[in-house]
Amino acid sequence: QERGATMARSLLRMLRTLFTFGFTDLENKECERLCNVMSKLRFPMPPKRNSVITADQVIAIRAKAHEMGHHSIALANALQFECLFRQKDVIGEWVPDGEPGLSAVSYAGKKWLRGIRWNEIDDKLILRHTTSKRQKDIEINLHLAPMVMEELARFGDTLPSSGPMIVRESTGRPWRTVDYRVKWREIARACGIPDSVKNMDNRAGGITEASNAGVPLEHIRHAATHSDIQTTQGYSRDGAEKT
């Protein structure tokens, strides 16, 4: 039910965007009418998520992922949890070739965008990446992310210098979103993690851990690239325990 409500709101946002484009750019009268109709509609908000991934669960997922031969998922989870990344910023996404954006990775009429590339990490292990949602430039010292450092140690003394960072072992190409989601769930279930906990909760898990450790909320907001601190507070779980 929760997933259905979230998906419904996402589809409604897409419809609003399409109708607005048709009205403002194409000057379509029917789109103008539909914009007016949708502006008057009100839909209930989906329930607020309260699930969170803990550091121990991330460690378990990473270990199980290695055991199952999915080393890329172990690295991706470490990056999501410790660097507060959204999934799209870590594994990227495949989009039609005709969409805006340059990419050196393409396959079957699609190109790969927005994920972390090896050349975004310098020789001092400083990661510089532009986020997909707000196009914000962030800079992260990976030496301060022990889980990430453990995963990078698997590459030996020299890291790859180019290409996508997270690549599916069976294809040699970046993961498709749906395939990554399915495989992550399989690994999580094998670790005994309930289905109510999702991969998206890595971000909330990292924020909650930082908040519980006493990190000032403003510092967490900056690390998570949130525009306002209320958003950061929404990601920080265990509110009752803190109170």
Side-chain angles (χ1 to χ4, degrees), residues 10 36 42 50 69 83 96 117 129 175 181 187 199 202:
S10 176
N36 290 331
R42 295 293 179 267
N50 55 17
C83 301
R117 302 183 305 277
H129 183 72
W175 285 83
R181 183 186 301 120
I187 294 169
N199 182 50
N202 268 294

Side-chain angles (χ1 to χ4, degrees), residues 53-68 70 73-74 77 183-195 197:
I53 288 181
T54 66
D56 287 341
Q57 288 174 327
V58 174
I59 291 171
I61 288 173
R62 288 168 51 219
K64 182 60 68 173
H66 285 306
E67 180 184 319
M68 297 172 67
H70 300 296
I73 292 181
N77 260 244
K183 189 57 63 177
W184 186 92
R185 176 55 58 198
E186 179 183 330
I187 294 169
R189 284 175 178 164
C191 295
I193 296 174
D195 287 356
V197 176

Side-chain angles (χ1 to χ4, degrees), residues 94-128:
W94 289 93
V95 301
D97 279 334
E99 285 200 14
L102 298 176
S103 175
V105 181
S106 61
Y107 178 75
K110 292 189 176 183
K111 59 186 177 184
W112 178 82
L113 296 172
R114 302 181 180 92
I116 299 175
R117 302 183 305 277
W118 284 109
N119 60 291
E120 294 178 318
I121 303 175
D122 67 16
D123 57 355
K124 296 181 180 178
L125 292 186
I126 304 299
L127 169 61
R128 296 177 177 86

